Amino acid sequence: MTMIVRNLQHVRDRITTACVAAGRNPASVRLLAVSKTFGVDAVIDAMSDGQRAFGENYIQEGVEKILAVRAWETDGLPGAIPSQWHCIGPVQSNKTRLVAESFDWVQSVDRLKIAQRLSEQRPPDLPPLQVCLQVNIDGGPTKSGVAPQEALALAAEVARLPRLQLRGLMSIPEIAPDFIAACAVHQRAADLFDQINRAGVLPQAMDTLSMGMTADLEAAIHAGSTMVRVGTAIFGGR
């Protein structure tokens, strides 16, 4: 058993334990393995233990990795569930075509202009690009994301774009000093998620609340996260 496989199993145990403590079904939380800065071999190692969803912060690195892994899948993993790739880093206007053509999900949409370009540049032979709005839930000065008070209006606009499917919200709050504080800030994102769904402006309800990383996944799950993004606890330090 490799280190990555052992780490994956430990993270899955953490998710299960957190769900049980919160009175939730462990199947309600998906694990996104954040593979940025790690090579194709590390991704394939994780895939050998059943992991299929991967997150990349750096677009060019991510695209190169996606192409390499998909070539390996074609040759070495026939008939298996294919990998799924999430862009979780900032998307600049000059990179939207690369993202639209290569990724399955984009979790870091925070401006209508970026969403429009992704919609226009998504190839017609691919399924709609799955997107989340990144929300700067705690107003962190170094964090990207739409302000919470502007999220409903942006969600309504993005949901109307033809080659995108709005799936939910993503947040990356500042590190909290303790579990209670972390739960509180994640709860704010969960409340905003519910508020947007209740507003009646979307053609279909959002189903994805992407929050929680290595250090705070338990707090995020307690608050209602449906997807945790874990890198260090799986692949090691960068």
Side-chain angles (χ1 to χ4, degrees):
M1 183 184 297
T2 68
M3 179 197 75
I4 288 175
V5 170
R6 285 196 302 271
N7 289 348
L8 266 172
Q9 294 180 2
H10 177 64
V11 170
R12 290 173 184 143
D13 288 343
R14 285 179 61 187
I15 292 170
T16 297
T17 300
C19 285
V20 170
R24 298 179 58 191
N25 183 345
S28 67
V29 179
R30 290 171 286 167
L31 172 61
L32 184 68
V34 179
S35 47
K36 68 176 183 180
T37 77
F38 289 92
V40 173
D41 289 347
V43 172
I44 291 174
D45 200 358
M47 291 180 69
S48 74
D49 196 47
Q51 182 63 30
R52 289 294 181 269
F54 297 91
E56 290 286 326
N57 290 65
Y58 309 120
I59 292 167
Q60 189 61 51
E61 175 194 340
V63 169
E64 293 171 1
K65 205 175 298 182
I66 290 167
L67 293 174
V69 170
R70 285 180 175 161
W72 176 83
E73 286 178 298
T74 300
D75 294 336
L77 206 64
I81 298 172
S83 56
Q84 181 187 85
W85 293 87
H86 296 234
C87 176
I88 58 174
V91 180
Q92 303 300 325
S93 295
N94 63 345
K95 295 292 180 65
T96 52
R97 185 173 297 279
L98 269 178
V99 173
E101 292 176 348
S102 302
F103 284 86
D104 303 297
W105 284 63
V106 183
Q107 296 200 21
S108 48
V109 173
D110 61 0
R111 288 170 287 158
L112 181 58
K113 175 184 176 182
I114 295 299
Q116 289 169 331
R117 289 178 64 88
L118 291 170
S119 177
E120 292 164 1
Q121 295 168 346
R122 182 67 168 174
D125 60 320
L126 293 180
L129 188 61
Q130 311 297 293
V131 301
C132 292
L133 304 185
Q134 182 174 350
V135 180
N136 189 354
I137 196 64
D138 58 349
T142 64
K143 301 293 186 182
S144 301
V146 62
Q149 63 270 24
E150 299 171 2
L152 174 59
L154 180 59
E157 294 287 345
V158 171
R160 285 197 283 265
L161 296 173
R163 298 293 298 147
L164 306 182
Q165 182 175 355
L166 179 62
R167 296 293 297 272
L169 304 181
M170 184 266 271
S171 67
I172 313 174
E174 301 286 347
I175 296 173
D178 53 48
F179 179 79
I180 293 175
C183 287
V185 71
H186 286 310
Q187 188 61 53
R188 286 160 61 185
D191 291 345
L192 180 62
F193 178 85
D194 291 340
Q195 175 191 335
I196 294 173
N197 271 338
R198 290 196 305 267
V201 300
L202 306 179
Q204 60 187 53
M206 301 184 298
D207 62 4
T208 301
L209 184 54
S210 174
M211 58 186 191
M213 299 186 289
T214 293
D216 64 347
L217 68 86
E218 285 85 0
I221 289 171
H222 181 84
S225 174
T226 68
M227 181 183 292
V228 293
R229 309 178 307 274
V230 179
T232 301
I234 295 173
F235 297 106
R238 293 177 173 83

